[in-house]
Amino acid sequence: MAERYTLHEDPRSGNCYKIKLTAALLGLALESRQYDILKGETRTPDFMANVNPNGRIPTLQIGDRFLPESNAACWYLAEGSSLIPDDRFTRAEMLSWMFFEQYSHEPNIATLRFWMQFVGEANLSEQQKAQIQLKRIAGQDALELMDRHLATREWMAGDAASLADIVLYPYTHVADAGGFPLADYAHIWAWIERVQALSDFIAMD
């Protein structure tokens, strides 16, 4: 019997979208249960008791089990597929870019997009405002590193699309919304077009 997948998500989130994109590329059915993080709907006692005690989305529900953390969910769905390379080194290289996405990319590029597009700079706390410039510098460094890497190759790891590309694509392709001009990164822009040309690709909501 096939596993039943339910994604607990806010469709505005790139972390949620990467799981939906992974499922789409693999032809997997994925049900959706949506929450509004701006209204605190993932911080309710019910959500934290029954979905994710950390009060965060996305959380992938697999039958009656719950798997938090977006990249872990992508790995679960993709294990045994072409999105995870067979070669040992290439697979480790893919993982290194997935770690980079969570440590160096998402905390800066995704955070500024969320603050600027959904919260509004005028509504930020003084602590958040003080972080803007540092996050902008760190986000630019991350994009420049990706752009240099993609100058000599089509995909982030190996010779074909892998989870490294899938997890980096969501917040990269909307980086403009956080104040990172994608026109400055020609190699990233070409890579974005390659990801969008993948069979069964779906766009972000």
Side-chain angles (χ1 to χ4, degrees):
M1 182 176 178
E3 293 178 309
R4 180 178 177 180
Y5 302 120
T6 302
L7 181 62
H8 297 261
E9 63 152 339
D10 185 322
R12 296 169 293 190
S13 163
N15 282 324
C16 297
Y17 166 59
K18 69 174 73 161
I19 300 172
K20 293 189 285 188
L21 179 56
T22 299
L25 295 176
L26 296 173
L28 300 174
L30 191 65
E31 299 177 19
S32 173
R33 182 170 177 185
Q34 297 183 359
Y35 305 81
D36 189 334
I37 58 175
L38 292 174
K39 294 180 179 179
E41 292 179 356
T42 65
R43 300 288 179 169
T44 64
D46 179 68
F47 182 94
M48 296 176 75
N50 297 302
V51 180
N52 183 356
N54 198 24
R56 294 176 175 233
I57 46 90
T59 297
L60 178 65
Q61 183 176 350
I62 306 150
D64 59 357
R65 298 178 297 171
F66 295 83
L67 182 63
E69 300 299 334
S70 58
N71 287 358
C74 289
W75 179 280
Y76 183 89
L77 294 176
E79 189 167 15
S81 78
S82 62
L83 290 179
I84 297 180
D86 291 330
D87 177 73
R88 184 178 180 181
F89 181 86
T90 307
R91 189 164 59 251
E93 183 183 26
M94 177 198 75
L95 285 170
S96 74
W97 284 110
M98 294 175 74
F99 299 146
F100 164 85
E101 187 268 340
Q102 285 289 282
Y103 289 123
S104 302
H105 185 284
E106 192 266 2
N108 301 299
I109 295 169
T111 297
L112 285 185
R113 169 186 176 257
F114 180 71
W115 286 354
M116 300 303 169
Q117 185 170 1
F118 299 111
V119 178
E121 188 169 357
N123 298 318
L124 298 178
S125 68
E126 291 305 312
Q127 184 180 26
Q128 289 171 324
K129 289 177 181 177
Q131 296 179 58
I132 289 175
Q133 187 58 25
L134 291 176
K135 287 186 175 295
R136 193 164 307 287
I137 292 170
Q140 289 170 347
D141 288 345
L143 291 172
E144 288 169 4
L145 178 61
M146 286 180 63
D147 200 59
R148 290 194 301 271
H149 183 70
L150 289 164
T152 58
R153 56 199 302 161
E154 292 190 348
W155 304 104
M156 296 303 299
D159 298 325
S162 72
L163 284 185
D165 303 285
I166 305 312
V167 304
L168 279 163
Y169 171 79
Y171 284 121
T172 300
H173 90 288
V174 293
D176 280 318
F180 301 96
L182 284 175
D184 294 345
Y185 306 100
H187 304 299
I188 287 179
W189 192 253
W191 167 79
I192 286 172
E193 293 180 337
R194 286 192 290 274
V195 174
Q196 292 174 345
L198 291 172
S199 178
D200 297 315
F201 171 86
I202 57 169
M204 189 171 174
D205 293 337

